[in-house]
Amino acid sequence: MIRAILGGISLWAIPVLLVGIPLIGMIRKIKVYDVFIDGAKEGFNVAVRIIPFLVAILVAIGMFRGSGAMDLMTNALRPLMARTGFPAELFPLAVMRTLSGSGSLAFTTDLVKRYGPDSLIGRQAGTMYGSSETLFYVIAVYFGAIGVKRTRHAIPAGLIGDFVAAVVAVAVCAWLF
Amino acid sequence: MLNYIWFALMAIAVIVAAFKGTAAGVTKGAVDSAKTAVEISLGLIGIMTLWLGIMRVAEKAGLISMLARLLRPISRLLFPEVPGDHPAIGAIIMSVAANMLGLSNAATPLGIKAMEELQELNRDKETASNAMVTFMALNTSGIQFIPATMIGVLAAAGSKNPTAIISTSLIGTLCGAVAAVTSAKLLQRFFPYPAANDAPPLPPGEGSARTGVSE
């Protein structure tokens, strides 16, 4: 029921917004087409301005993964994680989730196939994937778009959020399933 | 922060490659990622143009400021530095709402729009303001009602109940968001914003200048 409502909202939200917003503009006697073009002009610049930021971040992460440093790091930290009770199989995913969206999707799909989609590990992996966004991608895109170079506490705060989300995802699944 | 992380990722990659003989993998990682980054950015042009146009209509029609006034109690708590009727609040709300509904192709342009509005209030244009970091904390926690991608993966793998992860993901993402926003608020004093006299003075009329065309 709730899922059907949310699904309907997701399906209709964009068409309704695309017509509804100009409709209210028309009622308020705004030249909607002229105003649209005026705002839309910025679109190209914004998208292009992101390129250097995104190239820098994705290349560094791509090199890190390509060298095998990623595997080395997770293997080194695995015994430490095992002591905390965090499932060792899921730890690489937790690290990857903050770095790479496509990488963590591949990791999750692999875990789901290996352990089964209805297994505890499979569901924990799926929940971890669904519980956060790719931190470094988000930082690169949003700060890149406005040219902010000093991100201050954005990365520490994001990492704490991702850490809590991962721990809660694992714990809630273990408790519920 | 990014300077160190960026350099460390690449330096470690090269050192590890020297020991493991994976230099080819490093090269491939760099070349492929550069290509992906440009594809992502260029892929945004169309949708970015569309939403920035629609958002301008919404702004002129007074919809954004209406939304901002409506959710003033929450925004005052999260973004005390931003005036209640500022378009930034409306843009932030639109972006978070799009994220929640899983409308990722609308969420990114709306989020960038929100960052541009926050940049107008920002004194030092190269340093993140407190409000920006709080908004990023909300955004990186990826609050979403239906994790559609993952449900798809589970269903494709033959799950009998692929939607079982909806409730658990929601709990995970909400806890993550609360933790991230709380951390953003607690950490802001340890990452000081440059003092007023370090920053170039605001030229007159800067408050109304649109950062999007100031290239």
Side-chain angles (χ1 to χ4, degrees), chain A residues 70 74-75 77-78 81-82 84-98 103-104 107-116 119-130 162-163 165-174 177, chain B residues 150:
Chain A
M70 183 89 207
T74 50
N75 283 333
L77 290 168
R78 194 169 290 197
M81 292 311 289
T84 64
F86 194 91
E89 304 87 330
L90 294 173
F91 180 63
L93 175 60
V95 177
M96 184 60 94
R97 192 73 194 93
T98 64
S104 57
F107 268 43
T108 311
T109 310
D110 177 59
L111 284 167
V112 165
K113 289 215 173 102
R114 204 150 17 114
Y115 291 89
S119 66
L120 180 58
I121 293 279
R123 283 180 171 169
Q124 282 172 326
T127 301
M128 273 170 68
Y129 182 88
D162 283 354
F163 174 78
V167 169
V168 169
V170 166
V172 166
C173 285
F177 299 129
Chain B
M150 205 23 68

Side-chain angles (χ1 to χ4, degrees), chain A residues 59 62-64 66-68, chain B residues 10 13-14 16-17 22-31:
Chain A
V59 164
M63 288 169 70
F64 192 73
S67 70
Chain B
M10 290 192 297
V14 172
V16 169
T22 51
V26 174
T27 306
K28 190 174 185 305
V31 173

Side-chain angles (χ1 to χ4, degrees), chain B residues 19-50:
Chain B
F19 281 97
K20 293 181 72 175
T22 51
V26 174
T27 306
K28 190 174 185 305
V31 173
D32 288 355
S33 303
K35 191 161 173 272
T36 309
V38 173
E39 282 167 3
I40 291 173
S41 307
L42 293 185
L44 271 175
I45 293 177
I47 197 73
M48 196 76 222
T49 303
L50 173 63

Side-chain angles (χ1 to χ4, degrees), chain B residues 40-79:
Chain B
I40 291 173
S41 307
L42 293 185
L44 271 175
I45 293 177
I47 197 73
M48 196 76 222
T49 303
L50 173 63
W51 281 110
L52 287 180
I54 288 288
M55 283 293 280
R56 182 64 63 84
V57 175
E59 204 181 310
K60 286 269 193 273
L63 283 171
I64 304 288
S65 55
M66 200 179 79
L67 199 62
R69 272 197 304 275
L70 220 64
L71 287 155
R72 182 73 190 124
I74 303 169
S75 67
R76 190 179 307 172
L77 196 72
L78 287 176
F79 305 99

Side-chain angles (χ1 to χ4, degrees), chain A residues 93-165:
Chain A
L93 175 60
V95 177
M96 184 60 94
R97 192 73 194 93
T98 64
L99 292 174
S100 161
S102 57
S104 57
L105 183 59
F107 268 43
T108 311
T109 310
D110 177 59
L111 284 167
V112 165
K113 289 215 173 102
R114 204 150 17 114
Y115 291 89
D118 295 322
S119 66
L120 180 58
I121 293 279
R123 283 180 171 169
Q124 282 172 326
T127 301
M128 273 170 68
Y129 182 88
S131 293
S132 63
E133 260 298 339
T134 315
L135 175 64
F136 285 92
Y137 169 79
V138 170
I139 296 276
V141 167
Y142 289 87
F143 282 125
I146 56 169
V148 162
K149 297 194 184 81
R150 285 179 289 274
T151 58
R152 290 174 66 220
H153 50 307
I155 293 171
L159 284 175
I160 292 170
D162 283 354
F163 174 78
V164 169

